Amino acid sequence: MVGPGLVGRGALGWGMGPSVTDPRSHRRSGTMGDMAHSPAEQTPRIAVVGAAIVDDLHRPTRLLAARRTEPPALAGGWEFPGGKVDPGEGEIEALHREVREELGVEVALGEEITGPLPDGRWPLGGGYAIRVVLAAVTAGDPQPLEDHDALRWLGADELGSVPWLPADEPIVAVVRSRLSL
Ligand SMILES: Nc1nc2c([nH]c(=O)n2[C@H]2C[C@H](O)[C@@H](COP(=O)(O)OP(=O)(O)OP(=O)(O)O)O2)c(=O)[nH]1
């Protein structure tokens, strides 16, 4: 049993791994809900989730990129909609909340875009780590309601046309490899 809205082969098990439910993760709901680390890491990283929203989970051709408005150091950079996991909140729950708040849409989740950290996340600056999951809109039309001032659907050959946040570059490269032309 996986969380609501999860579809696709790669989604099986996502959200059920060590960073979420295994006591070895040292995650404590309500006390360290925004922190997670694996035994292989010295320092816990603050949990961020990001949605790689594509036009079709089964045959994706375009990715939705969002341009940040804050803080000033990151404003103008393009990123995956998402944000920090709240204390006591699950990652799946956080992802659905963030896309609802930021874009006004509901999504179905697909496979995780696995990163190099032991728990599959991607390192970000500032002690953050992001878990990125493919998603597709199931209700609503994405709008830059919060934290962003522009959205763009980008095909594989257009992903380099916007300045991604530096930490997102390797993630975007993996997403690009999943896009059909
Ligand atoms: N959402 C998101 N954050 C990213 C990405 N890449 C990246 O470096 N970050 C960084 C920016 C922030 O320093 C950090 C946390 O993300 P955030 O600021 O969106 O979190 P949030 O929406 O919960 O923020 P707030 O409510 O506290 O203002 O992660 C990305 O692709 N998506």
Side-chain angles (χ1 to χ4, degrees):
M1 178 69 186
V2 294
L6 281 167
V7 300
R9 193 169 37 122
L12 294 176
W14 181 79
M16 305 283 283
S19 72
V20 176
T21 57
D22 188 326
R24 288 172 299 170
S25 72
H26 304 274
R27 188 185 172 97
R28 298 289 183 272
S29 177
T31 56
M32 289 186 67
D34 58 347
M35 306 283 280
H37 67 190
S38 79
E41 280 194 82
Q42 294 291 320
T43 311
R45 293 174 186 258
I46 301 165
V48 176
V49 287
I53 299 178
V54 292
D55 52 343
D56 185 321
L57 281 178
H58 301 290
R59 190 178 180 280
T61 66
R62 293 184 301 160
L63 171 70
L64 187 67
R67 188 172 64 191
R68 281 189 78 100
T69 52
E70 291 186 53
L74 301 179
W78 293 73
E79 66 168 13
F80 300 97
K84 293 190 273 296
V85 178
D86 285 343
E89 185 180 44
E91 291 177 313
I92 295 173
E93 192 183 352
L95 202 44
H96 286 290
R97 175 183 54 74
E98 289 285 354
V99 297
R100 203 175 287 133
E101 290 174 358
E102 294 185 354
L103 309 175
V105 299
E106 300 296 329
V107 293
L109 302 182
E111 69 175 300
E112 181 176 353
I113 303 298
T114 308
L117 293 176
D119 61 3
R121 294 183 298 157
W122 297 82
L124 301 175
Y128 295 100
I130 190 168
R131 188 177 304 285
V132 178
V133 184
L134 284 178
V137 174
T138 56
D141 180 30
Q143 301 293 329
L145 302 177
E146 267 185 22
D147 301 338
H148 304 111
D149 63 0
L151 303 176
R152 282 183 64 184
W153 286 100
L154 301 172
D157 56 353
E158 299 169 313
L159 287 172
S161 66
V162 299
W164 290 90
L165 294 181
D168 286 3
E169 295 276 4
I171 314 173
V172 171
V174 175
V175 175
R176 179 187 288 115
S177 72
R178 307 292 171 87
L179 298 183
S180 301
L181 293 175

